[in-house]
Amino acid sequence: MERKRIVVGVSGGIAAYKACTVVRQLAEAGHSVQVLPTESALRFVGAATFEALSGQPVHTGVFDDVPQVPHVAIGQQADLVVVAPATADLLARAVAGRADDLLTATLLTARCPVLFAPAMHTEMWQHPATRENVSTLRTRGAVVLEPASGRLTGTDTGPGRLPEAEEINTFASLLLERPDALPYDLAGQKVLVTAGGTREPIDPVRFIGNRSSGKQGYAVARVAAQRGAEVTLIAAHTAGLIDPAGVDVVHVSSAQQLQDAVSKHAPEAQVLVMAAAVADFRPARMAQAKIKKGPGEDDRPPTIDLVRNDDVLAGAVRARADGQLPHMRAIVGFAAETGDENGDVLFHARAKLQRKGCDLLVVNAVGEGRAFEVDHNDGWLLAADGTESALEPGSKTLMASRIVDAVVAFLGGGG
Ligand SMILES: Cc1cc2nc3c(=O)[nH]c(=O)nc-3n(C[C@H](O)[C@H](O)[C@H](O)COP(=O)(O)O)c2cc1C
């Protein structure tokens, strides 16, 4: 990605130390990063740390470096402003339009996307004053991330934790790729997402697995949650991904466990996104003891009988038709396809859409360096009404934002 001007505002919360990683990662990605801490933030992390990590001087007040008029210029020139952590106080000052330090003045002059990553105690986060401030900022077009749940200052836990730096920067990169990628348009919707690859046990140490990293499904869950949905993510095995902030994650292993979790959560959901790579077959029996290789070179390898797993996607479509999923309005399937002598990728994908009966099908061409285990993706989106659109190449988070757009359009169209 080309070098962008990013302002990282840091306000005075205990999570200010995590801003160091946010700054470091953005600078390492080649961007020009200017850190604007509040006076309180500097009681948590020293200016020298931010100056060394960003390679730029750090000021807090509007009267430093006056000939450059930084209180106006920094905001005007920025491509993106990220405030991490955003304290309750900083959110309130931003809503009030205060300009009593360099960061808040910059928030008034910036016309680029602004991303707030709030972090505070649960009581502060849930206070009506903060709820209203968050809602006002969203109405004005800012992106205010849902905090993660977990350990806060001291020993208590709950929602209010700053998401990990990697996750904040995932959203920062998304807004640089696509400034309007995170509208708050899924509030009140329950979205169920499956992701990752299942493992079908052969014996206590071996399994049949697949190469799904879970990245695409996690990205869909992450984007849907930040667009306001209540998201449950049923996560099979992934490449060590971070649980997305603001998402309820249910970890499973086998296709059967994934099926059970979908059956449990789907009746509440309005949207189901089946991004998981669910094994089609499993060993008919799992050996209770490790299958031995045998001492001799000529010992015959064991034969493993396979049986079919239920088709979770087709099962959900059937359950909806039978009236068992009263709230379900959009079912999205995924197809990882290769062309063969019978037809190209789209030919097979169209057949799959017909067979499965879902509303939308995300199609990826797989093969050398494509779709699996990588961070970028491209493909097509096929709808049951016959419309087809290309998903332009980009990060899996960008792809997720396009997929969520399609879901929102489908819901809006009375789907
Ligand atoms: C140890 C400590 C931890 C704090 N952590 C937070 C926090 O995580 N979130 C928050 O909103 N305020 C927190 N505060 C309170 C803020 O520092 C205080 O509201 C301050 O005025 C914020 O100033 P600023 O928004 O200008 O940075 C903390 C205060 C202390 C002393």
Side-chain angles (χ1 to χ4, degrees), residues 15-16 18-19 22 83-86 117-120 147-148 151-152 160-165 168 245:
K18 289 192 187 172
V22 172
V83 185
M120 63 199 72
R151 180 93 187 258
L152 304 166
R161 201 177 140 86
L162 189 72
E164 296 308 318
I168 294 170

Side-chain angles (χ1 to χ4, degrees), residues 72-89:
V72 178
I74 295 172
Q76 284 176 336
Q77 292 165 7
D79 295 306
L80 175 70
V81 179
V82 178
V83 185
T87 57
D89 178 66

Side-chain angles (χ1 to χ4, degrees), residues 88-383:
D89 178 66
L90 188 281
L91 295 175
R93 288 197 289 137
V95 166
R98 299 290 298 267
D100 48 0
D101 61 12
L102 198 49
L103 173 55
T104 46
T106 298
L107 289 171
L108 288 181
T109 54
R111 293 294 176 270
C112 59
V114 177
L115 173 68
F116 291 94
M120 63 199 72
H121 258 81
T122 305
E123 291 85 344
M124 292 175 94
W125 175 246
Q126 291 175 343
H127 192 282
T130 307
R131 304 308 318 145
E132 278 179 33
N133 288 338
V134 167
S135 152
T136 302
L137 290 169
R138 284 176 176 153
T139 310
R140 291 179 190 163
V143 176
V144 185
L145 295 184
E146 281 300 309
S149 265
R151 180 93 187 258
L152 304 166
T153 332
T155 52
D156 39 356
T157 60
R161 201 177 140 86
L162 189 72
E164 296 308 318
E166 289 75 8
E167 193 163 21
I168 294 170
N169 285 342
T170 297
F171 289 118
S173 303
L174 176 63
L175 292 175
L176 289 174
E177 278 185 283
R178 191 182 167 208
D180 62 347
L182 292 170
Y184 202 73
D185 54 3
L186 272 174
Q189 302 291 325
K190 287 193 177 159
V191 175
L192 183 60
V193 182
T194 67
T198 61
R199 286 183 184 175
E200 311 303 307
I202 296 171
D203 68 14
V205 296
R206 303 183 181 93
F207 58 84
I208 299 173
N210 62 65
R211 292 174 58 195
S212 171
S213 65
K215 286 179 180 172
Q216 188 61 75
Y218 268 55
V220 170
R222 188 168 269 142
V223 167
Q226 298 302 349
R227 286 171 72 156
E230 203 179 306
V231 181
T232 301
L233 171 63
I234 299 172
H237 295 273
T238 70
L241 304 181
I242 305 170
D243 285 355
V247 170
D248 195 10
V249 186
V250 179
H251 291 279
V252 297
S253 182
S254 66
Q256 185 60 54
Q257 289 169 356
L258 188 138
Q259 163 78 72
D260 292 347
V262 169
S263 302
K264 180 172 168 200
H265 293 278
E268 302 289 313
Q270 275 93 30
V271 178
L272 171 64
V273 180
M274 279 290 305
V278 185
D280 294 323
F281 308 103
R282 68 175 184 277
R285 283 164 305 281
M286 176 187 158
Q288 292 310 305
K290 184 182 173 192
I291 299 169
K292 306 292 185 286
K293 188 174 161 193
E297 281 294 310
D298 299 329
D299 284 343
R300 279 168 64 91
T303 300
I304 298 168
D305 289 328
L306 299 177
V307 293
R308 259 178 193 284
N309 282 326
D310 289 341
D311 184 326
V312 185
L313 177 59
V317 170
R318 251 192 334 271
R320 177 172 63 173
D322 293 346
Q324 293 163 21
L325 305 179
H327 307 293
M328 188 64 76
R329 294 172 59 207
I331 299 182
V332 185
F334 274 66
E337 286 291 348
T338 57
D340 61 16
E341 63 283 1
N342 295 319
D344 62 6
V345 170
L346 274 177
F347 170 84
H348 289 290
R350 287 178 194 124
K352 181 163 181 176
L353 179 62
Q354 284 259 306
R355 215 169 47 244
K356 302 277 184 175
C358 52
D359 304 308
L360 297 165
L361 188 73
V362 180
V363 185
N364 297 127
V366 294
E368 270 310 287
R370 298 185 74 171
F372 287 121
E373 295 165 343
V374 292
D375 289 324
H376 51 87
N377 213 351
D378 62 354
W380 297 268
L381 203 85
L382 309 188

